[in-house]
């Protein structure tokens, strides 16, 4: 007999209970088929076509977004972007709690936005999902990791390969694991896009 899901809703062992229901799994299955068969094969310059496809799956995408074909978005219906947002090559957005990206946000190559975890102190190993938010001009650099519930305020920079589990203050550059503030960032970029 073929077993499609070995998780059981009422199993006494919490690690053998499903974190998601069948409808959610089915929705993600449809998205993954579309991503594998179509989304990732759309040529790089055709960002508008990928944005159109994400909108068909419920994403709320602003104008002039640059979303690369080999990025991975877990649930498009839980993604919202403002205008001029970049989600770079191989960036991964795991967004069970939602992800909101402010205008002119850049998520660089191989960056990871992780919007869920488990309460390791809970006997039920409770699944915890939280919104990740970036404000305007935030930059998550290559291979950086943003953990659940983090708010990256306006102009904040998370340096390459850095990891943050805490909010990032506005116009501040962070680096390291765990990320620490290392210097202020000029606000000139915000002025140049307004003129």
């Amino acid at each position: 007999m073929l077993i499609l899901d070995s998780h059981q809703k009422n199993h006494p062992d919490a690690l053998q209970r499903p974190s998601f229901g069948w409808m959610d799994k089915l929705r993600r299955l449809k998205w993954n088929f579309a991503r594998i068969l179509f989304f990732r094969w759309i040529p790089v310059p055709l960002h508008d076509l990928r944005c159109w496809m994400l909108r068909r799956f419920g994403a709320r995408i602003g104008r002039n977004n640059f979303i690369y074909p080999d990025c991975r978005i877990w649930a498009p219906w839980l993604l919202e972007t403002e205008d001029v947002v970049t989600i770079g090559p191989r960036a991964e957005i795991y967004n069970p709690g939602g992800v909101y990206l402010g205008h002119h946000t850049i998520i660089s190559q191989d960056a990871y936005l992780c919007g869920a975890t488990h309460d390791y102190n809970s006997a039920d190993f409770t699944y915890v999902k939280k919104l990740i938010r970036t404000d305007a001009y935030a930059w998550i650099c290559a291979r950086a990791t943003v953990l659940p519930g983090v708010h990256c305020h306006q102009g904040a920079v998370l340096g390459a390969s850095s990891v943050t589990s805490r909010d990032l203050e506005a116009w501040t550059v962070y680096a390291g694991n765990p990320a620490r503030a290392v210097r202020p960032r000029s606000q000139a970029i915000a002025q140049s896009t307004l003129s």
Side-chain angles (χ1 to χ4, degrees):
M1 179 175 153
L2 176 65
I3 298 175
L4 296 176
D5 190 352
S6 60
H7 291 102
Q8 299 170 9
K9 187 176 182 179
N10 297 316
H11 199 284
D13 182 347
L15 296 178
Q16 294 190 47
R17 291 183 214 134
S19 294
F20 303 97
W22 274 100
M23 291 307 291
D24 183 70
K25 290 177 183 180
L26 183 60
R27 193 174 191 188
R28 283 187 286 118
L29 180 65
K30 287 192 298 190
W31 160 242
N32 278 309
F33 274 128
R35 183 181 63 80
I36 291 166
L37 296 176
F38 302 108
F39 185 88
R40 70 180 186 164
W41 297 106
I42 298 171
V44 172
L46 301 180
H47 298 289
D48 287 345
L49 186 53
R50 278 186 298 282
C51 290
W52 174 85
M53 190 171 179
L54 287 167
R55 287 183 189 107
R56 298 293 69 79
F57 279 89
R60 291 171 304 281
I61 305 289
R63 292 175 295 137
N64 301 317
N65 278 218
F66 305 96
I67 300 176
Y68 282 76
D70 53 353
C71 72
R72 293 180 59 122
I73 298 168
W74 189 77
W77 50 93
L78 296 173
L79 174 65
E80 184 172 357
T81 73
E82 292 182 5
D83 297 341
V84 195
V85 168
T86 300
I87 300 175
R90 299 172 310 281
E92 185 168 353
I93 297 182
Y94 178 57
N95 59 336
V99 165
Y100 182 92
L101 304 175
H103 69 87
H104 293 87
T105 288
I106 299 171
I107 309 298
S108 289
Q109 65 273 18
D110 300 302
Y112 181 42
L113 277 59
C114 179
T117 186
H118 291 271
D119 179 356
Y120 52 81
N121 287 318
S122 162
D124 288 336
F125 201 58
T126 308
Y127 185 74
V128 180
K129 52 188 178 180
K130 296 181 180 179
L131 173 71
I132 293 176
R133 179 185 180 94
T134 68
D135 291 342
Y137 305 103
W139 179 18
I140 309 304
C141 296
R143 295 188 175 89
T145 300
V146 178
L147 296 175
V150 170
H151 184 173
C152 303
H153 290 270
Q154 184 175 23
V157 175
L158 182 61
S161 298
S162 298
V163 178
T164 188
S165 61
R166 299 177 189 269
D167 292 352
L168 304 182
E169 295 300 317
W171 301 106
T172 306
V173 178
Y174 290 80
N177 182 5
R180 301 202 190 294
V182 293
R183 68 180 59 90
R185 179 187 186 192
S186 168
Q187 296 182 32
I189 189 169
Q191 300 304 320
S192 70
T193 59
L194 295 175
S195 37

